[in-house]
Amino acid sequence: MPPRECEICHTNRAQILRPKNHARICAPCFIAIFEDEVAETVTSTNLFNPGERVAIGASGGKDSTVLASVLKTLNDRHNWGLDLVLLSIDEGITGYRDHSLEAVKRHSEQYDLPLKIVSYADLYGWSMDQVVAQVGKKGNCTYCGVFRRQALDRGAAMLGVGHVVTGHNADDVAETVLMNLLRGDLPRLSRATSIVTSTPSAALPENGEGEIKFTNVKRSKPLIYAYEKEIVMYAHHKKLDYFSTECIYSPEAFRGSARTLIKNLERIRPESILDVVRSGIDMAKLVPGAEEQNSQRACGGENKAAAAKTDEGDGLGGCGSSKESGGEMAAMEQKLLQDEEAQANGNEVEIKMPKKTVNSQNGVARDTQDAADAEIDVKNGQQQSPAQQTVPIRTKEEKKSRKRGKDAPPPKQKLGQCERCGYLSSQSVCKACVLLEGLNKARPRTGIEVGGGD
Amino acid sequence: MAGRRNLPPADKSLCRRCQSPDTAITVRTEPLCKACFDKYVQTKVVKRMETFRVKNSEPGKEKTLLLPLSFGPCSTALLYTLSRHLKNQIDKSGRPGFKLHVLHIEQPDEPPAQPLLDQLQSRFPEHTYAAVPLASITSLPHLLPSTLQPPSSLASLLSTLPTPTARADLSAHLLRKLIAHHARETHSAAILLGDSTTRLAERALAETAKGRGFAVPWLVSDGPISSAPTPSEAGDGQGEIPTYHPLRDLLSKELVPFVAFAEPPLTPFLRTASESQAAPAAMKNSTIDALTRGYFAGVEEEYPSIVANVVRTTSKLQAREVGAGELGCELCDVPLEGAAPERSRLCWGCVRTMQGVGAAS
Ligand SMILES: [Zn+2]
Ligand SMILES: [Zn+2]
């Protein structure tokens, strides 16, 4: 077969089959169109304010590396005037972040962007190594996950940055849409598709001392329409060096299921990924109360965003998003069956269930349960090898139900802020503060409070 | 876990309802004998037919309901249960709550349906029957999108599309249009589709993947929708005919044995899925519909409640209010406002399906 010419420039030889639409194009045209599409996403959604200080959540992995490279390029090319900074989180696990942080340090030099590394020790007073020493290896995932969810926002606030961009791509968003469709979570389905997941409140983004409170940190995903395969391709052709994280976390069952579906859909029809994202955006408008939610958010009621953050993690990978893995679908099946039976019997049965259940009000139940999990984990204090950390432990179910009485949740609060640290929380005290309280109790010499409250 | 199970643990080998030792199937965790299972299915269907109770009908002027029959287990189960339901209505009230008109749409590659329909007629003589070839859609050009004008043969229509997914999608929409057309022709009051929970979940997921997420509420809901889209086939002033899914509370894996258990057997009326419906070896030659079908076939085995929950959840989506005179998509008939690329008479999903039309020529 004679070499084909690029469908765009009609000059170079086509060397790329574009994953998004199977167009045959040359590498320079691919790089140009990839960058143009990100620029289009940014400008059409008015993502940034001129001169805005923006932190790029940088893990050293492909998504955030490409995000940093593209934003730097576009910022210079289009004179957006953004004050870009790389923000990395160091969990403080000896030997774990070393390689990825090295990659981020190189990026900082290559792209001429300042790098800020914020450690768990800075943010919480506890490194993960210290947490493990305290609670044992079992259950430390709970801590890492809870701490991780707030880390980017806390880190950004610490640096005085009001906007964090993450490397979530179209595949991630499509996956989240399908996942929430499968687990019947419409509010999350709807939030997954918004390019900005937490709108800063209409109130002043800064407190008296000119610091940004981390409740006002805005999160966005400029790569929402970029295919994972194209991100890899872009990194390859731009010769970006990134740290390919071995996938150390086994995704939750629903996410794994959704991921497989997305991969197969992409094989059948490459455009499917974008079509799922589009469907998600359209369905979001049909979720009961969608209008209301939006207007609430617009005037500063940002409570819903808390869950959105929780749901999608920070795009930095790691074990935080795993939590309990395999049993998730089985647990939900059981919960649904019980609901059905309860309904058939006509009596309301109060069943406390493992996380990731159906209804929108679940933010509350889930938080409670997570906190309870952690408590139990602490109490058991059993050792478990790291490889086993994500294996679901069936007997936990029974333990939970027995312990429930004792581990009563903090008093319920309408979605709002943690009364200790101000983080968005459906409980009066957020999960991180609950965990920290447990940790600090066991280490009486310290009185470290989470920042923001003092 | 909960305190409601005060009864001594039931013997797992006995029918949960009548304690008969001859259990035939396990329905969601409950072992049931054939008789109790039969009653379970019948009850689920009847519950969804409330709208068509005897007291809602005028004596001698019962509404005609159109039942599209594919000769698959689900639509056959629907025909069977509704036939019994009608008998019960007559036994109890002296008259039926509705009449059934059974319609089979013949696919291009299938043998003639008339012999099977004749057999069905002798088994269920109280209904009327008709067979219409899908190919006849080309003699109804006003049902077809402008991009397919002027229509030639069905085969050539389908061959204009480059992918199996697009062909399956077009084919399904033509089928739906033809059914709706026939419903109007026969002055049917409603269309009763044989979609199980599993099937509805499959379709909701498939349409999401095809970019028609906005259309999912219309797809999975029952009865007249206040914001029903204007059908492309306007003119008879009848508007859209409401659609019901009386099998929506039953799983596909329950309906297959249900049909198999029926006495006298319904098996002579079943046609197994044709070869073309079997999953092809290579994923890229597969279709999105086949993918979601395969996916939920797996899920319903282990997690049937999750399947049901997908349908329940998507039913909660609120279909957008449709403005007066708002145009529908030329192919899938959903309202276009906000769902179509500029100046297109097709929605995003249908643009995707039709992309490549004419590219070959
Ligand atoms: Zn080119
Ligand atoms: Zn359409």
Side-chain angles (χ1 to χ4, degrees):
Chain A
M1 210 161 99
R4 291 206 198 197
E5 68 177 26
C6 166
E7 288 176 23
I8 294 175
C9 66
H10 300 287
T11 311
N12 298 334
R13 191 167 63 83
Q15 58 189 122
I16 287 175
L17 183 62
R18 200 181 172 200
K20 204 176 208 168
N21 56 12
H22 284 193
R24 289 167 198 278
I25 55 178
C26 68
C29 284
F30 169 72
I31 287 171
I33 200 168
F34 183 90
E35 289 167 355
D36 286 350
E37 287 179 4
V38 177
E40 164 68 19
T41 304
V42 168
T43 49
S44 68
T45 56
N46 295 315
L47 205 57
F48 303 121
N49 301 319
E52 190 173 7
R53 188 142 199 247
V54 177
I56 302 166
S59 67
K62 62 174 177 8
D63 297 313
S64 63
T65 300
V66 166
L67 179 62
S69 169
V70 171
L71 282 187
K72 165 74 180 169
T73 304
L74 294 175
N75 192 35
D76 293 347
R77 181 182 300 159
H78 299 294
N79 295 315
W80 285 345
L82 301 178
D83 181 6
L84 296 170
V85 48
L86 297 173
L87 169 61
S88 286
I89 303 297
D90 185 357
E91 294 89 345
I93 305 172
T94 309
Y96 167 60
R97 269 286 172 216
D98 301 359
H99 296 290
S100 53
L101 286 179
E102 283 312 310
V104 179
K105 282 176 193 161
R106 288 195 299 274
H107 299 153
S108 169
E109 285 182 20
Q110 287 160 6
Y111 312 150
D112 191 24
L113 295 173
L115 165 65
K116 305 283 180 182
I117 300 175
V118 178
S119 69
Y120 276 17
D122 297 335
L123 296 173
Y124 302 107
W126 289 79
S127 72
M128 274 316 290
D129 282 345
Q130 288 173 313
V131 171
V132 171
Q134 178 86 19
V135 305
K137 280 186 179 165
K138 184 189 175 230
N140 74 67
C141 262
T142 310
Y143 288 82
C144 197
V146 170
F147 287 172
R148 175 189 302 278
R149 268 171 231 141
Q150 302 186 5
L152 273 182
D153 297 324
R154 290 179 183 277
M158 193 177 254
L159 304 178
V161 179
H163 189 166
V164 179
V165 290
T166 57
H168 291 96
N169 58 43
D171 297 53
D172 296 332
V173 174
E175 200 177 288
T176 307
V177 168
L178 291 194
M179 177 176 79
N180 286 311
L181 192 64
L182 296 176
R183 68 179 186 202
D185 194 333
L186 289 182
R188 281 180 184 220
L189 182 147
S190 115
R191 288 189 301 263
T193 51
S194 38
I195 186 161
V196 178
T197 44
S198 165
T199 312
S201 69
L204 284 177
E206 303 187 348
N207 70 15
E209 284 94 61
E211 282 171 39
I212 290 174
K213 290 197 288 185
F214 70 92
T215 41
N216 294 327
V217 173
K218 168 178 166 183
R219 283 261 200 119
S220 67
K221 24 187 192 278
L223 299 182
I224 185 173
Y225 297 118
Y227 276 38
E228 187 172 273
K229 282 183 177 172
E230 301 205 349
I231 286 170
V232 173
M233 213 172 241
Y234 182 86
H236 173 77
H237 288 284
K238 287 277 281 188
K239 301 195 169 51
L240 303 183
D241 96 276
Y242 60 87
F243 177 71
S244 20
T245 338
E246 278 303 305
C247 186
I248 56 162
Y249 79 93
S250 60
E252 315 125 85
F254 281 106
R255 186 171 286 282
S257 204
R259 180 168 301 173
T260 310
L261 274 170
I262 290 292
K263 292 291 167 216
N264 286 332
L265 283 171
E266 189 183 13
R267 263 173 232 144
I268 293 173
R269 182 192 265 178
E271 296 90 340
S272 292
I273 293 178
L274 282 183
D275 289 345
V276 171
V277 173
R278 174 180 298 286
S279 282
I281 291 171
D282 288 337
M283 286 159 99
K285 297 174 198 151
L286 309 177
V287 173
E291 298 288 312
E292 201 182 313
Q293 264 180 34
N294 290 341
S295 63
Q296 249 184 20
R297 253 187 269 172
C299 45
E302 30 177 59
N303 37 44
K304 304 275 181 189
K309 287 180 181 176
T310 302
D311 197 34
E312 57 186 16
D314 53 13
L316 294 185
C319 63
S321 19
S322 70
K323 305 210 281 170
E324 273 178 56
S325 53
E328 194 196 5
M329 283 179 112
M332 178 163 163
E333 174 69 21
Q334 208 197 345
K335 149 91 174 136
L336 289 167
L337 266 174
Q338 284 166 341
D339 285 355
E340 276 167 41
E341 272 178 53
Q343 222 179 9
N345 297 351
N347 51 351
E348 287 279 317
V349 180
E350 235 234 279
I351 304 159
K352 194 65 82 56
M353 268 313 293
K355 59 202 97 192
K356 309 292 187 206
T357 40
V358 228
N359 301 312
S360 56
Q361 286 91 346
N362 270 322
V364 174
R366 199 156 20 227
D367 288 356
T368 312
Q369 199 59 56
D370 284 0
D373 277 0
E375 294 271 339
I376 293 157
D377 292 340
V378 176
K379 281 168 192 157
N380 288 344
Q382 291 162 4
Q383 292 289 319
Q384 196 192 9
S385 79
Q388 289 174 314
Q389 279 166 13
T390 54
V391 176
I393 298 138
R394 309 275 172 198
T395 56
K396 250 184 161 179
E397 292 310 301
E398 295 131 46
K399 282 181 197 147
K400 272 177 202 162
S401 45
R402 266 191 280 114
K403 297 239 181 192
R404 199 179 309 128
K406 260 167 52 182
D407 300 323
K412 275 182 194 172
Q413 191 191 6
K414 280 283 167 202
L415 292 156
Q417 297 184 346
C418 169
E419 62 187 31
R420 296 200 191 152
C421 74
Y423 189 74
L424 303 165
S425 171
S426 53
Q427 302 290 313
S428 57
V429 177
C430 78
K431 278 189 269 187
C433 286
V434 169
L435 292 176
L436 282 171
E437 188 178 19
L439 286 171
N440 291 335
K441 250 184 221 160
R443 185 171 70 174
R445 60 191 172 79
T446 58
I448 295 168
E449 279 284 309
V450 176
D454 45 320
Chain B
M1 274 175 94
R4 96 195 97 85
R5 286 195 186 132
N6 302 323
L7 301 167
D11 186 336
K12 287 223 166 95
S13 63
L14 300 181
C15 170
R16 187 67 64 85
R17 303 199 172 176
C18 73
Q19 313 303 318
S20 152
D22 297 324
T23 59
I25 187 173
T26 301
V27 175
R28 318 277 164 115
T29 72
E30 291 195 357
L32 296 179
C33 71
K34 274 189 188 176
C36 288
F37 174 58
D38 186 82
K39 213 168 141 193
Y40 167 86
V41 173
Q42 185 73 24
T43 310
K44 292 270 185 193
V45 177
V46 169
K47 210 179 127 203
R48 288 292 176 180
M49 293 295 291
E50 288 277 295
T51 315
F52 306 103
R53 290 164 66 173
V54 173
K55 67 167 192 171
N56 296 341
S57 76
E58 239 183 288
K61 285 185 184 172
E62 290 84 13
K63 286 171 177 161
T64 299
L65 308 183
L66 183 77
L67 192 162
L69 181 78
S70 69
F71 301 127
C74 291
S75 53
T76 304
L78 183 59
L79 174 61
Y80 178 58
T81 48
L82 291 185
S83 301
R84 288 200 305 202
H85 181 42
L86 281 169
K87 283 214 171 64
N88 282 338
Q89 286 184 327
I90 294 168
D91 286 351
K92 275 192 204 152
S93 318
R95 61 190 182 90
F98 57 94
K99 286 187 290 196
L100 277 188
H101 176 59
V102 180
L103 171 70
H104 177 76
I105 306 282
E106 287 172 306
Q107 295 292 332
D109 52 355
E110 78 172 59
Q114 203 51 54
L116 257 184
L117 286 181
D118 290 344
Q119 284 179 46
L120 271 173
Q121 183 138 34
S122 51
R123 171 86 176 262
F124 306 106
E126 62 276 29
H127 316 311
T128 54
Y129 296 82
V132 173
L134 184 59
S136 68
I137 190 92
T138 50
S139 62
L140 301 161
H142 62 290
L143 295 183
L144 295 169
S146 42
T147 36
L148 295 177
Q149 306 284 0
S152 42
S153 69
L154 177 65
S156 67
L157 278 187
L158 290 173
S159 68
T160 55
L161 301 178
T163 66
T165 292
R167 289 193 289 273
D169 193 57
L170 175 62
S171 192
H173 281 294
L174 297 181
L175 179 78
R176 184 188 50 75
K177 279 174 179 286
L178 199 53
I179 290 170
H181 172 77
H182 200 85
R184 275 185 288 271
E185 293 259 297
T186 53
H187 303 287
S188 298
I191 299 169
L192 306 179
L193 294 179
D195 290 332
S196 63
T197 304
T198 321
R199 181 90 184 99
L200 289 173
E202 283 165 30
R203 295 182 64 196
L205 181 60
E207 293 311 312
T208 302
K210 288 189 262 185
R212 291 198 196 97
F214 62 91
V216 168
W218 284 298
L219 188 79
V220 295
S221 56
D222 262 23
I225 308 167
S226 59
S227 54
T230 315
S232 59
E233 183 182 35
D236 50 11
Q238 215 178 339
E240 191 59 72
I241 296 175
T243 299
Y244 293 82
H245 308 87
L247 303 182
R248 64 183 302 130
D249 298 321
L250 294 154
L251 296 161
S252 294
K253 72 162 183 181
E254 292 162 353
L255 291 163
V256 171
F258 171 76
V259 170
F261 293 162
E263 289 294 341
L266 290 167
T267 32
F269 308 119
L270 296 180
R271 273 189 192 159
T272 44
S274 67
E275 285 301 311
S276 62
Q277 273 179 296
M283 187 59 75
K284 80 173 191 211
N285 297 324
S286 184
T287 65
I288 289 177
D289 300 284
L291 176 73
T292 63
R293 197 181 309 138
Y295 175 76
F296 278 111
V299 176
E300 78 165 356
E301 279 310 316
E302 267 193 274
Y303 311 116
S305 300
I306 288 180
V307 180
N309 191 50
V310 169
V311 178
R312 201 162 41 237
T313 308
T314 46
S315 307
K316 284 186 207 146
L317 290 171
Q318 291 167 341
R320 198 175 50 76
E321 286 297 321
V322 179
E326 191 177 311
L327 290 173
C329 169
E330 285 186 332
L331 179 54
C332 74
D333 292 317
V334 302
L336 279 179
E337 189 63 43
E342 255 177 278
R343 285 195 298 276
S344 173
R345 286 293 321 274
L346 295 170
C347 71
W348 283 106
C350 291
V351 166
R352 189 74 85 208
T353 280
M354 304 294 255
Q355 83 189 358
V357 168
S361 58

